[in-house]
Amino acid sequence: MKLNLVVLPGDGVGPEVTEQAVRVLREVANIHGHSFHFEEHPVGAAAIRRTGTPLPRATLDACLAADAVLLGAIGSPEFDRLPANQKPEAGLLCLRKALGGFANLRPVNSYAALAGASPLRSEIIKGADILFVRELLGGLYFGEPRGLTSLNGSSTAFNTMRYSASEIERVARVAFDAAMKRGRKLTSVDKANVLETSQLWRQTVTQVAVAYPQVELDHLYVDAAAMHIITKPQKFDVILTENLFGDILSDEAAVISGSLGMLASATVGGVVDLFEPVHGSAPDIAGQGIANPLGAIASAAMLLRHTAGLEDEATDIEEGIRAVLDAGYRTPDIARGTGGCLIRTADMGQLVAEAVADVTDRRHAYHAV
Ligand code: IPM
Ligand code: MG
């Protein structure tokens, strides 16, 4: 299998964690004789510093020509005061729009080895396995009009939450298809008691459900969902929601897995798929070699599964991550309460790469018997 991959390390801890994800992908290529070609480009604050814009044309062109894009993180306090459309984050939003992926898949699992790292009691999170399907190209993030103005002498800011039925339908189908391959349960999250966009959301999801009679559908208001996700996470299978609600709820749900640094994501449905850890650029710990690369590495696993159909290779990476955690290795964010051995970002990448080789060997030996 040949893959042409564009790597966008981005800002803060982005370069450190993507380096480890690439290391693991190289190991997979090595083991299986695949040919993965990596090409790096700047985005976000790194791109502003080099070219004056957060998404240079050359970066976008390379992404559009790639088989998939692997991104690290975006954002830097240095540019916090810029207008929204010039900030590092604008680079990411333009990239998402240009690549066209409207369904952002964010799996959240509880890891037995990390139960102690979660602030939630272990009996609450045990076995929790949720897939968030976050709509990624609509809602408040992209709705027009938006802006700053002055009203009766007072500064006023406004954004527009807008969804069309077809935007809701296409992401709902992705969520139902995912539910069919999992626990066949889908919870749609909205604020239909207040918002028109949510009323259309609920109505449209209910219509899409007709084509999926085997999937049990329920609806929750976002405020109630925020509570249930951390009080009864085992109840959920697939959670479908709009852009901003999905942004907020997926960070909240990270406490189930022990740390935001654990979460991966895949954005699908467009011209080129985009893979990025859910965490941000974490400028406070950037460059120290202590960031958790597992979210980025797990995003690389999702890349192999979703873009290349390399299911065995993807599972081997996920099992490699579990093996390293079971062996007790921890970056600082997941060390609390687990009594593990504290290691650095690069060591974590190396250990996962080695574990992937072991897991693959064992799988081959098993099939040979
Ligand atoms: C995420 C991030 C981004 C978002 C930011 C960096 C623009 O928080 O991927 O969850 O809000 O989508
Ligand atoms: Mg977020």
Side-chain angles (χ1 to χ4, degrees):
M1 165 82 62
K2 274 194 175 151
L3 284 179
N4 171 23
L5 304 175
V6 164
V7 180
L8 307 178
D11 307 324
V13 298
E16 302 161 55
V17 298
T18 44
E19 192 184 334
Q20 300 315 314
V22 168
R23 180 202 290 242
V24 172
L25 284 173
R26 285 194 200 281
E27 179 70 25
V28 168
N30 227 340
I31 298 171
H32 296 271
H34 299 311
S35 157
F36 299 163
H37 176 257
F38 300 93
E39 191 181 313
E40 232 178 79
H41 288 272
V43 72
I48 298 179
R49 280 185 219 110
R50 272 160 72 175
T51 69
T53 141
L55 181 62
R57 188 73 232 181
T59 297
L60 178 58
D61 286 345
C63 291
L64 286 168
D67 291 317
V69 177
L70 183 66
L71 183 135
I74 298 275
S76 167
E78 183 188 339
F79 299 113
D80 272 353
R81 285 162 177 276
L82 288 180
N85 63 353
Q86 293 169 28
K87 275 183 191 293
E89 287 80 356
L92 176 58
L93 298 179
C94 288
L95 178 67
R96 285 177 180 169
K97 181 133 227 169
L99 298 185
F102 53 82
N104 179 228
L105 315 179
R106 299 188 160 188
V108 177
N109 308 301
S110 89
Y111 291 87
L114 296 185
S118 173
L120 300 175
R121 288 204 307 276
S122 56
E123 68 268 25
I124 290 178
I125 54 175
K126 193 166 182 238
D129 176 3
I130 305 176
L131 176 69
F132 283 86
V133 179
R134 170 190 176 194
E135 198 293 324
L136 205 64
L137 292 184
L140 284 166
Y141 277 64
F142 293 96
E144 296 285 348
R146 61 186 290 162
L148 288 162
T149 179
S150 177
L151 211 61
N152 305 325
S154 173
S155 302
T156 302
F158 57 99
N159 292 91
T160 301
M161 189 185 250
R162 180 187 297 274
Y163 270 106
S164 67
S166 60
E167 284 173 304
I168 301 167
E169 227 176 273
R170 64 182 186 176
V171 72
R173 264 190 241 111
V174 171
F176 277 103
D177 286 339
M180 283 297 290
K181 294 194 199 138
R182 296 174 41 107
R184 301 196 168 184
K185 203 171 162 231
L186 191 147
T187 305
S188 174
V189 171
D190 61 40
K191 188 71 185 172
N193 50 344
V194 177
L195 303 175
E196 283 80 0
T197 43
S198 281
Q199 283 154 15
L200 182 65
W201 184 278
R202 193 173 278 222
Q203 193 186 317
T204 309
V205 171
T206 305
Q207 279 162 10
V208 174
V210 174
Y212 297 87
Q214 297 107 316
V215 177
E216 183 195 330
L217 168 69
D218 62 357
H219 303 272
L220 267 184
Y221 295 138
V222 62
D223 47 357
M227 186 182 68
H228 289 177
I229 284 166
I230 50 169
T231 50
K232 308 172 197 167
Q234 296 135 335
K235 237 184 54 157
F236 293 99
D237 179 21
V238 176
I239 295 181
L240 164 67
T241 193
E242 67 88 45
N243 205 343
L244 182 65
F245 297 163
D247 178 47
I248 299 169
L249 295 180
S250 57
D251 267 34
E252 185 204 20
V255 299
I256 294 166
S257 68
S259 163
L260 191 50
M262 296 297 301
L263 299 196
S265 90
T267 303
V268 300
V271 200
V272 179
D273 297 341
L274 171 66
F275 300 85
E276 39 177 329
V278 173
H279 64 72
S281 57
D284 53 324
I285 60 161
Q288 297 177 35
I290 59 171
N292 184 348
L294 295 178
I297 294 172
S299 300
M302 294 187 86
L303 184 161
L304 296 182
R305 171 176 298 122
H306 290 279
T307 298
L310 297 175
E311 181 59 42
D312 282 346
E313 285 84 337
T315 315
D316 288 353
I317 294 179
E318 288 158 356
E319 281 187 25
I321 291 174
R322 256 174 221 282
V324 170
L325 293 174
D326 289 344
Y329 295 106
R330 307 281 183 263
T331 44
D333 58 312
I334 47 175
R336 193 177 73 101
T338 65
C341 166
L342 206 58
I343 57 167
R344 298 176 63 75
T345 310
D347 299 323
M348 187 58 101
Q350 176 66 33
L351 284 166
V352 173
E354 286 165 14
V356 169
D358 284 351
V359 170
T360 310
D361 275 353
R362 254 183 282 131
R363 184 166 50 76
H364 288 164
Y366 177 80
H367 285 302
V369 175

